[in-house]
Amino acid sequence: MPNKTHQDAIKEYGYKIGPAEVDTNTNPVAYYVEDEQGERTKITNNEALEFIANAKMGNHDGNIHTYDNYVQLFNILGIRPKLW
C-alpha cells in the first residue's frame, strides 16, 4: 500500500487546512480549516497553533502537508474521520 498523503487525510476527514490571507506584516499568519462546502473556520486553539508552528519548523520545506500532521491536527481540533 502506498504511503498516505495529506490529500488522503482531507478525503478521510472532509476538511482542508490552510493559511488565511495575511492582513499586515506584523500579524502572524492565521490558519483555518475548510469543510467540504467551503466554509472556513479560523483555528484559534493554542495547542493546534503550537503544533502547526512546530511542524513547520521541523519540515525542511516549511509546511505541514503530511498525512500524520493533518491527522494529528484534526484530532487536536476534535475533528473525526467521516463515516464511509
Side-chain angles (χ1 to χ4, degrees):
M1 183 165 122
N3 289 340
K4 290 187 174 187
T5 70
H6 71 288
Q7 295 294 338
D8 294 307
I10 290 169
K11 288 176 194 162
E12 290 175 19
Y13 285 78
Y15 285 86
K16 296 180 197 174
I17 299 167
E21 295 74 24
V22 180
D23 53 7
T24 72
N25 291 334
T26 58
N27 287 343
V29 174
Y31 284 84
Y32 63 85
V33 290
E34 181 179 315
D35 66 19
E36 292 172 314
Q37 289 75 41
E39 183 76 29
R40 290 183 176 182
T41 304
K42 185 176 177 181
I43 297 174
T44 57
N45 177 304
N46 284 335
E47 184 182 358
L49 294 172
E50 187 175 312
F51 176 80
I52 291 170
N54 288 334
K56 287 174 68 77
M57 283 192 299
N59 181 299
H60 63 86
D61 292 329
N63 66 49
I64 63 166
H65 305 303
T66 69
Y67 179 81
D68 290 340
N69 283 348
Y70 270 48
V71 168
Q72 271 190 271
L73 191 53
F74 290 144
N75 285 327
I76 291 168
L77 295 171
I79 298 170
R80 299 292 171 242
K82 298 186 299 182
L83 298 176
W84 299 103

